[in-house]
Amino acid sequence: MKAILRLKEVSVSYTPGKNAVDKVTTDIYPNTITAIMGPSGCGKSTLLRAINRMHDLYANVQTTGEIILKGRNVLEMDPMEVRRMAGMVFQQPNPFPTMSIYDNVLAGYTLNGIRLGKNEKEEIVEQSLQSVALWDEVKDVMTKRGSFLSGGQQQRLCIARTLALKPEVLLMDEPTSALDPISTNKIEELLLQLKQQFTIIIVTHNMSQAARISDNAMFMYLGELVEHGNTTQMFTKPRNKRTEEYLTGVFG
Amino acid sequence: MNQSSSIEQRKRKDKTIRHLVGFFSLFAMIPLFFILWDVISKGYKNFNLRLFTEVTPSSMDALLAISNGDPIPGGILNGMTGTILIVGLAILFSVPLGLFIGIYLADNQGKRFAGLVSYLTDLLQGMPSIVIGIIAYAWVVKPLGSYSALAGSVALTIMMLPMIVRSTEETLKMLPLSYKEAGLALGSSYTNVVFRILIPSGFGGIFTGILLAISRVMGETAPLMLTALGASVVHWKMMEPASAIPLLIWDFYNDPNLVDLIWSSSLLLLIVIFLLNWIAKIVARKWKV
Ligand SMILES: Nc1ncnc2c1ncn2[C@@H]1O[C@H](COP(=O)(O)OP(=O)(O)O)[C@@H](O)[C@H]1O
Ligand SMILES: [Mg+2]
């Protein structure tokens, strides 16, 4: 199978000479869920945010290496185009507070100045909300603000907002860590559905979550990618001593 | 001394202090109460339709009316239209400018140039209004060769600017960073994130700041004396001298025959300013994100 996303020697530094992510090389395959694990501060978010060029927002951050998304180097593309191809979901649910649920789903289009016909809009909204299992819950309150929903619903709305743009990959940074177990469960089920259409990379603190949903897992430590492989294999027979120590709870 | 009596003592001291604080805050309200009483009791007599529909009478006409025991013939329409014209222009100039500077400051914290701009904003906020009037005189009245509503609005713009800058900056700083990041992560341009997400989300705070800035400059007199000068007719021409309600109050003060109009004009000014503050409060509460 051909990788959809290839990282080659990707390094990111916030201060010159000190790499928060150090020479990470790996391949991500289409229609898989990859979990990025590792102790807090090991560079998981930093790596994830390199993929959709979020580091461009801050002048001091340097990214080197190659990030090849569908054959093109992300670091040489227009960041706005990259971000439409690689959607991101954040830790805190953050629907735009002044927009209705309907407008939140379409926010990617309005913000990019893409005009849609009414039918097209309704189709995208329904489809996106269906794919996050939110349609039935909100179809009668479409004009209410997004902040009117519960935390778990808000997070699913944010996923729908990202999916509406039909990205190639979905980058998720601890998307359930602010949610209760029931909402978490719902989102995990959702991700297993969504991988049929998308490629998902999820940063998670929660090892059992990684075990439940991911096909592949990456274990990072002090900015380096220590181990990457099949999740079941990594959980049962870790190749690296650090990985084993982390998975058995020696540190983390 | 045993434990319980010392607690008793502390409680008593607490109570005394609380009463004292209450007493002094009541004390501080007394001047406000007298101002309101004075303005309302003296102002209501001439607070009639005429005030809104007629221009300022001449001193002679007023004298005649007074000696006949009639109410003063005329109002402050020229002052009201002048205030609307001058303040309106000032809003037109200061709001976009203040928004841009506020956005810049909120987005560039810690940068040296932003620090300088922020410092200058503080300086401007503390600048005496008469000095700002003189500056507007030198910048606008002198080069154009005439007093004008435009010159007055430049002075008021300079006064409103720091308030709008600060309220925009503070409001935007309080919004979670993730709104901005979520917008950009959808592939949006920075401009669209600012105008379609950040400013609407901070609308309550920003709008409140603008209203308070307006209410602050509505009563300004000194800078307008040096710039707008005054006018006895109603007009909407920004290149000509114009009147304003506070300018008229000053004129009335200097003319014994028109002195009665001071109070009704002050009452009007107070009502408008209270209204603006009240709306600002409601907006701030309703639009909390
Ligand atoms: N904006 C930043 N400026 C400077 N250093 C940062 C910044 N964000 C993260 N770091 C540092 O980079 C390292 C990796 O952080 P991060 O990627 O957030 O870790 P993780 O997501 O694995 O918890 C940490 O040492 C952290 O202190
Ligand atoms: Mg993180």
Side-chain angles (χ1 to χ4, degrees), chain B residues 203-220:
Chain B
F203 177 80
I206 295 170
F207 192 66
T208 302
I210 293 171
L211 285 182
L212 293 179
I214 295 169
S215 88
R216 166 89 178 68
V217 299
M218 278 216 24
E220 278 299 332

Side-chain angles (χ1 to χ4, degrees), chain A residues 13-26:
Chain A
S13 66
Y14 293 99
T15 38
K18 200 166 156 269
N19 282 349
V21 164
D22 198 32
K23 299 215 183 78
V24 169
T25 300
T26 191

Side-chain angles (χ1 to χ4, degrees), chain B residues 77-234:
Chain B
L77 181 63
N78 49 328
M80 281 189 274
T81 55
T83 289
I84 292 171
L85 176 63
I86 296 170
V87 174
L89 285 172
I91 293 171
L92 228 55
F93 301 145
S94 63
V95 169
L97 205 54
L99 278 179
F100 280 122
I101 301 175
I103 292 165
Y104 173 77
L105 290 182
D107 238 2
N108 291 277
Q109 298 170 52
K111 290 213 184 125
R112 201 171 321 158
F113 183 65
L116 180 72
V117 173
S118 177
Y119 179 69
L120 293 178
T121 306
D122 279 341
L123 275 188
L124 208 53
Q125 188 132 39
M127 190 84 72
S129 61
I130 185 76
V131 175
I132 291 174
I134 288 170
I135 290 169
Y137 175 85
W139 284 358
V140 188
V141 178
K142 267 300 201 48
L144 292 181
S146 130
Y147 293 98
S148 62
L150 179 69
S153 71
V154 168
L156 298 191
T157 297
I158 299 174
M159 298 197 66
M160 289 171 71
L161 207 51
M163 283 191 266
I164 297 176
V165 169
R166 279 282 172 258
S167 65
T168 306
E169 179 191 356
E170 297 303 328
T171 307
L172 292 183
K173 274 193 199 162
M174 270 169 29
L175 295 177
L177 181 66
S178 80
Y179 290 154
K180 181 174 143 189
E181 291 201 333
L184 292 168
L186 288 169
S188 170
S189 64
Y190 175 73
T191 318
N192 275 345
V193 166
V194 168
F195 287 101
R196 289 175 181 260
I197 300 173
L198 300 184
I199 291 187
S201 304
F203 177 80
I206 295 170
F207 192 66
T208 302
I210 293 171
L211 285 182
L212 293 179
I214 295 169
S215 88
R216 166 89 178 68
V217 299
M218 278 216 24
E220 278 299 332
T221 320
L224 294 187
M225 286 177 172
L226 301 172
T227 50
L229 192 66
S232 52
V233 294
V234 171

Side-chain angles (χ1 to χ4, degrees), chain A residues 9-12 19-25 220 222-225:
Chain A
E9 305 245 306
V10 175
S11 297
V12 185
N19 282 349
V21 164
D22 198 32
K23 299 215 183 78
V24 169
T25 300
M220 291 182 71
L222 294 177
E224 289 180 38
L225 178 60

Side-chain angles (χ1 to χ4, degrees), chain B residues 10-21:
Chain B
R10 279 214 309 246
K11 275 189 180 160
R12 226 173 311 138
K13 208 168 119 194
D14 238 28
K15 211 169 161 185
T16 324
I17 300 264
R18 249 184 293 143
H19 284 149
L20 265 177
V21 170

Side-chain angles (χ1 to χ4, degrees), chain A residues 14 18 20 38-47 60 173-174 203 205:
Chain A
Y14 293 99
K18 200 166 156 269
S40 165
C42 70
K44 305 181 294 293
S45 302
T46 305
L47 178 63
N60 57 327
D173 195 348
E174 306 194 25
V203 169
H205 240 84

